Amino acid sequence: EDQVTQSPEALRLQEGESSSLNCSYTVSGLRGLFWYRQDPGKGPEFLFTLYSAGEEKEKERLKATLTKKESFLHITAPKPEDSATYLCAVEGPGTYKYIFGTGTRLKVLA
Amino acid sequence: DVKVTQSSRYLVKRTGEKVFLECVQDMDHENMFWYRQDPGLGLRLIYFSYDVKMKEKGDIPEGYSVSREKKERFSLILESASTNQTSMYLCASSGQYEQYFGPGTRLTVT
């Protein structure tokens, strides 16, 4: 069964304390892996798409990487405004359907 | 920038009422989606549409129907609202890969 698992469920960091969020997946034939940021009461905001193992993408303090079984979202020197829930999703072959993880709630303390 | 808009941010309805949630996208995307998001359950796909007048059931279609008469507009209909349909409803659209989400509608059924 296709599945996405994110860890940890919640993470508290001090401002400037770098860390990584994990997204493990099982899907037969990955078409794409997607990272989103979601603020409370709002819709998810698209961050990155990764297509193949070894690929990396960066945006400001965020860097996403992909292996054959998992993806990491690295946050370097986070700021309080990086506090949000980060969602991971995968898309398998022959379908437009995403499988979402339940997210990591990140809190960055000043 | 991709823009996906939803007709209401907050909605309160009574049990048994017929409820319409509307979504409009401005990127000429072929695919549109309706999700609901509940704490601890993540995003769950209700219905999606890959073309005008075309629709497919997602993972939790019971109690819902959809309509797509124009490419840019995708409506979610709750035929007879029930309290277990209280949730955050998110619309998304996509072209080739990544999905872009609207701001969400927080629906409360009393």
Side-chain angles (χ1 to χ4, degrees):
Chain A
E1 182 188 345
D2 297 340
Q3 197 169 329
V4 175
T5 304
Q6 291 188 248
S7 62
E9 285 187 20
L11 182 63
R12 288 165 70 94
L13 299 173
Q14 292 294 323
E15 185 172 4
E17 180 186 1
S18 301
S19 188
S20 297
L21 313 182
N22 178 262
C23 172
S24 299
Y25 64 92
T26 54
V27 65
S28 50
L30 181 73
R31 284 193 74 207
L33 184 141
F34 310 91
W35 282 99
Y36 289 84
R37 170 196 170 119
Q38 186 174 25
D39 293 302
K42 297 187 177 180
E45 174 191 346
F46 171 72
L47 293 174
F48 303 110
T49 304
L50 300 167
Y51 296 105
S52 56
E55 191 174 359
E56 298 182 353
K57 295 241 176 112
E58 283 190 71
K59 181 179 179 179
E60 297 180 355
R61 295 176 292 282
L62 301 177
K63 179 179 176 181
T65 62
L66 181 64
T67 72
K68 287 188 176 178
K69 292 188 176 181
E70 59 191 349
S71 176
F72 292 93
L73 185 65
H74 307 278
I75 303 177
T76 303
K79 298 182 177 182
E81 54 262 42
D82 294 322
S83 298
T85 296
Y86 290 86
L87 298 171
C88 170
V90 297
E91 183 181 5
T95 174
Y96 302 111
K97 293 167 62 171
Y98 278 17
I99 303 161
F100 277 89
T102 52
T104 293
R105 294 189 312 279
L106 174 66
K107 178 76 172 176
V108 182
L109 305 170
Chain B
D1 271 357
V2 176
K3 190 149 187 189
V4 180
T5 57
Q6 295 183 228
S7 50
S8 306
R9 290 300 313 276
Y10 301 94
L11 210 52
V12 180
K13 295 292 181 180
R14 293 191 183 276
T15 300
E17 279 193 83
K18 192 168 186 174
V19 182
F20 293 87
L21 303 182
E22 294 229 307
C23 175
V24 177
Q25 52 97 0
D26 68 355
M27 282 303 292
D28 201 34
H29 283 163
E30 301 291 334
N31 311 308
M32 296 187 75
F33 308 80
W34 276 106
Y35 294 87
R36 64 178 283 177
Q37 185 175 32
D38 300 288
L41 296 177
L43 276 87
R44 294 179 291 167
L45 182 65
I46 305 171
Y47 268 97
F48 71 100
S49 168
Y50 52 90
D51 201 351
V52 175
K53 296 191 187 293
M54 306 302 288
K55 62 186 179 186
E56 281 200 27
K57 293 180 180 179
D59 300 315
I60 51 163
E62 297 78 20
Y64 303 95
S65 62
V66 290
S67 171
R68 191 161 179 207
E69 297 296 319
K70 293 185 177 181
K71 191 175 186 179
E72 68 271 17
R73 192 178 297 267
F74 191 34
S75 300
L76 180 69
I77 302 147
L78 287 66
E79 296 289 341
S80 178
S82 63
T83 55
N84 63 11
Q85 292 178 311
T86 290
S87 186
M88 169 72 113
Y89 289 88
L90 291 160
C91 174
S93 75
S94 75
Q96 283 275 325
Y97 293 105
E98 49 268 359
Q99 295 184 14
Y100 294 91
F101 285 83
T105 296
R106 173 75 64 186
L107 173 66
T108 302
V109 183
T110 61

